[in-house]
Amino acid sequence: MWGMRIFDCVFAVSWCYLVLFAAARVTDPTEVHALLAVKSYLDDPMQHLRNWNKGDPCRSNWTGVLCPATVGTDGHFHVQEIQLLNMNLSGLLAPELGQFSQLLVLDFMWNNLTGSIPKEIGNISTLKLLLLNGNKFTGSLPDELGNLSNLNRLQVDQNEISGQVPKSFANLSRVKHLHLNNNSISGNLPPELSKISSLVHLLLDNNDLSGFLPPEFSNLQNLRILQLDNNNFGGSEIPHSYSNFSKLVKLSLRNCSLQGSIPDLSRIVNLTFLDLSQNHLSGTIPSNKLSEKMTTIDLSDNQLDGPIPRSFSDLPQLETLSLDNNHLNGSVPANIWQNISFNGSTRLVIDLRNNSLSNITGVLNPPVNVTLRLGGNPICNNSNLPKKGVFCALEAGEDLPMNSTNSTVDCQKQSCPIADSYEYVPASPLRCFCAAPLRIGYRLKSPSFTYFPPYIDQFDLYLTSYLNMDPYQMSIESYIHEQGRIKMYLKLYPRVSDPSNRFNDSEVLRIRGLFTTWTFPPNDFFGPYELLNFTLLGPYSNLHFGNEGLRISKGIWAAIILGAIASAVATTTILTILIARHHARHQRVLSRNRPSSRASMKIDGVKTFTFKEVALATENFNSSSKVGQGGYGKVYKGTLPDRTIVAIKRAEEGSLQGQKEFLNEIKLLSRLHHRNLVSLVGYCDDEAEQMLVYEFMPNGTLRDWLSGKAKENLTFSMRLCIALGAAKGILYLHTEANPPVFHRDIKASNILLDSKLNAKVADFGLSRLAPALEEEGTVPHHVSTIVRGTPGYVDPEYLLTHKLTDKSDVYSLGVVFLELLTGMHAISHGKNIVREVKMACQSGLMLSIIDSKMGAYPSDCIEIFASLALCCCNDKPEKRPSMIDVVRELERILKMLPETGTVSSEFTYMHSSKSLSSSSSYSHQGQTGSSWNVLGSDAMSDATLAVSPR
Ligand SMILES: *[C@@H]1O[C@H](CO)[C@@H](O)[C@H](O)[C@H]1NC(C)=O
Ligand SMILES: *[C@@H]1O[C@H](CO)[C@@H](O)[C@H](O)[C@H]1NC(C)=O
Ligand SMILES: *[C@@H]1O[C@H](CO)[C@@H](O)[C@H](O)[C@H]1NC(C)=O
Ligand SMILES: *[C@@H]1O[C@H](CO)[C@@H](O)[C@H](O)[C@H]1NC(C)=O
Ligand SMILES: *[C@@H]1O[C@H](CO)[C@@H](O)[C@H](O)[C@H]1NC(C)=O
């Protein structure tokens, strides 16, 4: 009766929020469905997607699903990136992928996906990066992909795609990178592609293309790399229009069955790499001087004749000149290297074997860095040739090692004291430091050079400067040249000044984000890269790339909580959702903050104490400093050097936890701040000791006050305030703490009183996290663990089933309320307080057991409080009010109290606890009690707080 109207009203509000909550602040249901469809089409042997059914994709931790931090105009979250590279996935891509309306990145690189690329992907008009390289896709490229007018990068290389390049690709008006190489694509190159004015890299090498090279391609005025090696343009010529490519850096047409002559490419000012080898090109080599940037000229295995152009002697960057297996004649210019300044790593390989070269112009005395091969030329018959054997071998031989493992500094020989995954690395200039590297598999897909060592430093600088790092923070562990590509393993290190010796999590995410979204500034010389893997080992191994940065504002939580007051059902539903959300967030936070070592541990807002400091504060754990004893261990009072008084909990042998667990709990505790929670000051994690340092509560425990150990007696309003404070602290743990915490051991001796007798809940949060969502669509019900708690306070349902819920804490708090009412112990002389009070209530003797030390109290208020307490102690969890209901009800009772100090006629004076069994004030019981299911009888259930709205 009381409160029912309010509850009706609040129920309406709650429903509004429920609707808001359910309909608006979640991922677009179509996209949720699409993600589930994507998962259902995949084979996921490593279970990377095992959390793709828990909670909401954008709000929980769905692996590889990234969303923006805010909802769209339609009030829904929309998936922005799907990043599932290198996850051992096989199976198919679901057509439902087409249902993402705001997707920017679709990344399935380096898996084992089969089937064809679904044409529905063409519906994702927002898509910028489509990254499907390194799979086993078959079938042809769908025409519909041409609809992706916002696409910047299309990578489908290294698959088994057949069919033609769709003409519709001409509509990819924003595409810069078309990587279709290493497939079985056949047919003509559509001349229409020349309309893609934005195109920068066109890689179609290693396919079955035929037909001819479209002359129109020279209209691609932004094209830097044209790589078409290993196709079969049988009989086609290299269009002479190609001399008009204005920005071309690399032209690679190796083994394309090309005929005709080589066009004059001397006007392409930035041309750096030219490979026309293994064709049927004939005629003479154009004599006009090529760009000074040339590093590589490979015209080998053709039918070229005439002389070697003198202009080849003017190329200061040249490192490869391959003219072998042609019909070149005339003399060898002995000055090709004249303009090259060799240093430690530069070299030049000139291969002129198997031509008709008969003479040498100048004195043949190449520097050590030059390898000259003349075998198979008439010149080798000339006995005057110096070092004949060296120059005239027919085999190419191994000139210089092309692959390398880095052997920079001896740092590696030392071992890091921290952990296996850390290593000693050189920090500039001559210093080693211990650091945990990020490991990156990286491949230059189409570099404009053939020999890497001269450019390693430049490459280091290029990558690190963009990563906002110093060059020493990167090392190339090893690299290998493979068919024109350079595959390497990189390690990135934190700054030497970084005290944690590792990247923090946001830094890892930032770095990975840069690599996976190709935001590096284009560098034509190094060309496009591919990310082979980004392995997280050691301290990073628990980092998860799901949705980041998504936080739900306090306001929304408040709204949800406010709205949820009305019905127990609504409340339960929302609470469970909240708990799940918190838990999901918690997991992320926890896993991202996993401490790596004792040495690198630093927790915000919490001090670290050494054993010595604590020993000093407690006079070496003097027994006179001991103020209590709990399950965890002894509690000492200590005085810090700055005179702050603290309580120190020292774990006993059996209570010691693993260091990781201990530190995780500290992290958790350090984030719990509420005026009704005892706050953590610091901790000591020293050798065999684990200690928690809390603020000291001068007024001790509620139990002490109820037992009369304190000087004063607590009045009813003081007791109500204490009850309310405790309830608020616990409500915070349930709903506001991140992650949510079930206390599990609420009792009068865990409720401490500060100097102003404010209640503060203690001993929370140790190993006791709230549960996660279990299955799709089901709400979290419980955590099953070993029963913990104190006899007399433990939820009977929990005892039976081992299922811990938020209602278990409600039960324990109800017992504390009964203690506040009666002053009794939860269990004394074999009597259980709940049963005693229930029996007293049933026999109309309620007031007879009210604590006589309480003094005067308004009887209606005490009845409501008693009803609330008993309702909390209902055997059936679902009939107990939720913590928010408890808080509300206590507030309501407090408001009903007359001004403290004014004793009105409503107060009943308690002279003798026994004499009041039939007090007139108790006759109200019939009215008030009917609102609460005081005795847990089913007859009253429809009038209880837990009344269902349905
Ligand atoms: C793909 O499957 C093959 C065997 O079928 C396996 O050897 C390979 O490691 C897989 N690759 C990936 C990236 O999962
Ligand atoms: C050639 O390269 C330089 C340096 O990368 C660049 O500034 C210039 O614009 C390029 N020229 C053309 C025509 O692309
Ligand atoms: C190239 O020449 C320089 C200077 O003579 C020398 O120090 C270096 O070792 C040579 N490099 C190779 C790879 O031979
Ligand atoms: C080789 O070249 C020199 C001049 O560079 C010339 O005198 C000589 O006749 C040439 N020999 C042959 C066989 O062509
Ligand atoms: C988040 O995902 C990662 C990777 O799948 C997983 O290790 C972690 O436990 C997940 N956390 C939650 C709360 O699901």
Side-chain angles (χ1 to χ4, degrees), residues 343-344 369 400:
N343 60 34
N369 306 64
L400 287 166

Side-chain angles (χ1 to χ4, degrees), residues 925-950:
Q925 197 265 344
Q927 287 166 24
T928 57
S930 64
S931 294
W932 288 91
N933 193 0
V934 176
L935 305 173
S937 76
D938 289 334
M940 299 172 86
S941 62
D942 57 354
T944 63
L945 232 201
V947 65
S948 161
R950 283 175 294 180

Side-chain angles (χ1 to χ4, degrees), residues 31 163 251 322 338 408 534 538-539 563 601 636 644 715 720 731 886 926:
E31 300 191 6
L251 179 62
S322 300
Q338 69 183 5
T408 36
F534 193 104
M601 204 52 216
Y636 296 87
T644 315
T715 65
L720 263 187
L731 177 65
V886 173

Side-chain angles (χ1 to χ4, degrees), residues 305-320:
D305 53 28
I308 297 171
R310 285 166 182 274
S311 60
F312 284 176
S313 309
D314 276 335
L315 303 174
Q317 308 291 331
L318 199 63
E319 52 175 32
T320 300

Side-chain angles (χ1 to χ4, degrees), residues 548-856:
E548 294 305 323
L550 206 57
R551 292 286 177 272
I552 291 147
S553 77
K554 281 240 165 72
I556 294 170
W557 287 125
I560 292 165
I561 291 165
L562 184 79
I565 291 161
S567 74
V569 168
T571 310
T572 325
T573 310
I574 289 177
L575 267 179
T576 49
I577 292 168
L578 291 183
I579 288 164
R581 295 285 175 272
H582 276 300
H583 187 66
R585 288 165 60 194
H586 146 70
Q587 289 273 322
R588 192 159 61 234
V589 173
L590 258 197
S591 62
R592 286 176 50 186
N593 290 326
R594 184 153 302 221
S596 43
S597 71
R598 200 183 292 267
S600 65
M601 204 52 216
K602 213 178 127 191
I603 299 169
D604 280 349
V606 173
K607 286 186 204 150
T608 319
F609 294 91
T610 61
F611 180 78
K612 210 171 151 193
E613 286 172 299
V614 183
L616 217 61
T618 55
E619 295 172 344
N620 207 11
F621 303 99
N622 194 311
S623 55
S624 65
S625 311
K626 189 182 148 195
V627 289
Q629 166 88 48
Y632 182 81
K634 292 189 176 74
V635 185
Y636 296 87
K637 180 178 172 180
T639 311
L640 299 181
D642 66 355
R643 295 181 173 274
T644 315
I645 298 177
V646 291
I648 295 159
K649 281 194 175 178
R650 185 185 190 187
E652 276 168 2
E653 196 99 24
S655 308
L656 287 173
Q657 316 172 59
Q659 193 200 22
K660 229 178 206 170
E661 286 71 24
F662 180 66
L663 293 177
N664 272 343
E665 287 187 349
I666 308 276
K667 286 209 158 191
L668 172 64
L669 292 177
S670 73
R671 290 196 300 269
L672 300 176
H673 297 289
H674 189 272
R675 61 190 301 272
N676 296 112
L677 296 180
V678 178
S679 63
L680 184 71
V681 175
Y683 71 98
C684 167
D685 177 31
D686 206 4
E687 300 307 329
E689 290 282 351
Q690 287 174 344
M691 289 179 271
L692 295 169
V693 181
Y694 286 98
E695 67 174 317
F696 183 71
M697 302 299 278
N699 271 316
T701 73
L702 174 61
R703 186 65 256 163
D704 292 343
W705 281 72
L706 293 176
S707 305
K709 286 185 196 159
K711 318 171 258 283
E712 254 180 278
N713 286 329
L714 295 169
T715 65
F716 178 62
S717 70
M718 284 157 118
R719 291 175 197 228
L720 263 187
C721 287
I722 290 166
L724 179 60
K728 281 181 171 172
I730 294 158
L731 177 65
Y732 170 89
L733 291 177
H734 284 186
T735 59
E736 292 287 315
N738 175 16
V741 171
F742 293 169
H743 190 296
R744 301 165 63 120
D745 199 12
I746 298 167
K747 53 184 173 185
S749 54
N750 269 338
I751 292 170
L752 306 184
L753 301 176
D754 71 8
S755 56
K756 292 175 184 155
L757 294 182
N758 291 314
K760 296 203 179 203
V761 179
D763 210 3
F764 51 87
L766 292 176
S767 311
R768 309 302 158 198
L769 307 181
L773 277 176
E774 301 226 311
E775 296 292 345
E776 181 185 359
T778 68
V779 290
H781 291 300
H782 63 272
V783 241
S784 307
T785 36
I786 298 152
V787 171
R788 181 193 191 243
T790 305
Y793 293 89
V794 183
D795 173 7
E797 182 80 5
Y798 171 46
L799 272 180
L800 279 175
T801 61
H802 289 207
K803 287 179 185 169
L804 183 82
T805 69
D806 51 334
K807 295 293 182 69
S808 308
D809 280 351
V810 172
Y811 183 93
S812 312
L813 188 62
V815 176
V816 174
F817 291 174
L818 294 178
E819 291 182 85
L820 279 165
L821 276 167
T822 64
M824 286 161 57
H825 282 267
I827 289 181
S828 55
H829 308 294
K831 287 183 180 170
N832 176 297
I833 191 169
V834 178
R835 207 173 330 123
E836 291 303 306
V837 177
K838 268 187 195 172
M839 270 160 51
C841 196
Q842 270 166 332
S843 43
L845 297 171
M846 183 66 197
L847 292 194
S848 69
I849 57 167
I850 299 298
D851 188 357
S852 58
K853 297 194 290 301
M854 204 189 296

